[in-house]
Amino acid sequence: MYILSEARFETCIQKSRFIACASPIEDMDAARTYILSLRREFHDATHVCSAYICGQTMHSNDDGEPPQTAGRPILEQIQYAAIDKVCICVVRYFGGIQLGIGGLIRAYGNCAKNVLLQAKKARKITMRLYTVCYPYALSGAFAGWLRRHVVFLKETYGTDVSVLIAVEDPDIETQIMEQSKGRAVVTFIREQARLVPIEDPDPHLS
């Protein structure tokens, strides 16, 4: 899964203010840029702890908190939620009360979990693009069937009807030939990745 846009979550724990920020990233440079932007925005914060995952690359930073109490819990929440290409920073303004090792792990982990709950998520699907040309005689039942099974991107009317379609089903060529009784001409163009918004499918994140 992926997140579509930046999300934020804020809470207060034992007088410390925590602000969790999550953003989609394309690579490590984007993650570093995002972390730097938050350090500038919250320049007076006590800590700006972070973690990110981008493909096989992952990184976490405790930013002055005791080792493994901040960055790692954030990273673990990203892994548990199975989100890719995301960077999470949790900003802390110390409120004067020590949370202890366990308290810090829970605080940073819960902040990361909750900001992911706030984020709008998507899954990546691979769409196959085709052109389909068919005679006007098929504009009734065949065209209706086609509209129910694919996404129409463009229609052109000339000697025949020509439509640009997108579909996930790799078997669509066979189906089109069957439905048109061999009268439609199907031409594969290319595959195209697309993000599709989804509801959070993980009940453990609710």
Side-chain angles (χ1 to χ4, degrees):
M1 279 194 302
Y2 304 84
I3 67 171
L4 291 172
S5 57
E6 187 188 39
R8 295 195 176 190
F9 169 81
E10 183 171 341
T11 188
C12 187
I13 302 172
Q14 294 293 310
K15 296 186 178 181
S16 281
R17 180 187 175 201
F18 289 86
I19 306 165
C21 309
S23 177
I25 56 170
E26 283 300 319
D27 50 36
M28 290 184 293
D29 288 340
R32 296 183 185 118
T33 298
Y34 182 63
I35 294 168
L36 181 59
S37 72
L38 291 176
R39 290 187 185 280
R40 289 171 176 163
E41 180 179 351
F42 301 101
H43 60 88
D44 56 342
T46 314
H47 306 280
V48 180
C49 306
S50 60
Y52 63 82
I53 290 180
C54 189
Q56 299 300 311
T57 302
M58 59 186 69
H59 179 77
S60 63
N61 186 348
D62 295 308
D63 193 38
E65 293 283 28
Q68 309 299 310
T69 64
R72 179 155 188 175
I74 298 170
L75 184 63
E76 287 175 348
Q77 288 298 324
I78 299 174
Q79 292 173 311
Y80 182 73
I83 306 292
D84 192 16
K85 292 190 174 182
V86 65
C87 178
I88 296 180
C89 295
V90 179
V91 178
R92 183 189 183 190
Y93 287 88
F94 182 56
I97 299 176
Q98 299 287 344
L99 299 182
I101 298 298
L104 287 172
I105 292 172
R106 286 190 296 274
Y108 281 100
N110 285 333
C111 284
K113 173 183 176 180
N114 279 289
V115 78
L116 288 176
L117 272 175
Q118 299 281 351
K120 294 181 179 179
K121 301 175 190 66
R123 65 185 179 96
K124 182 177 286 186
I125 62 173
T126 300
M127 302 293 287
R128 297 170 65 85
L129 301 184
Y130 299 86
T131 56
V132 181
C133 294
Y134 57 88
Y136 285 94
L138 296 180
S139 296
F142 170 73
W145 173 88
L146 192 61
R147 284 187 180 277
R148 292 192 300 272
H149 290 81
V150 305
V151 177
F152 272 42
L153 300 178
K154 184 179 179 181
E155 293 181 75
T156 304
Y157 298 94
T159 305
D160 292 318
V161 181
S162 177
V163 294
L164 176 64
I165 65 169
V167 62
E168 286 187 77
D169 189 353
D171 192 44
I172 193 66
E173 292 183 66
T174 300
Q175 296 176 47
I176 289 174
M177 295 308 293
E178 290 175 352
Q179 292 292 325
S180 70
K181 295 181 171 55
R183 298 174 68 187
V185 177
V186 187
T187 304
F188 173 72
I189 301 175
R190 67 179 184 275
E191 290 188 343
Q192 179 174 289
R194 178 183 174 190
L195 288 179
V196 178
I198 56 174
E199 296 296 327
D200 198 327
D202 188 347
H204 296 94
L205 287 178
S206 59

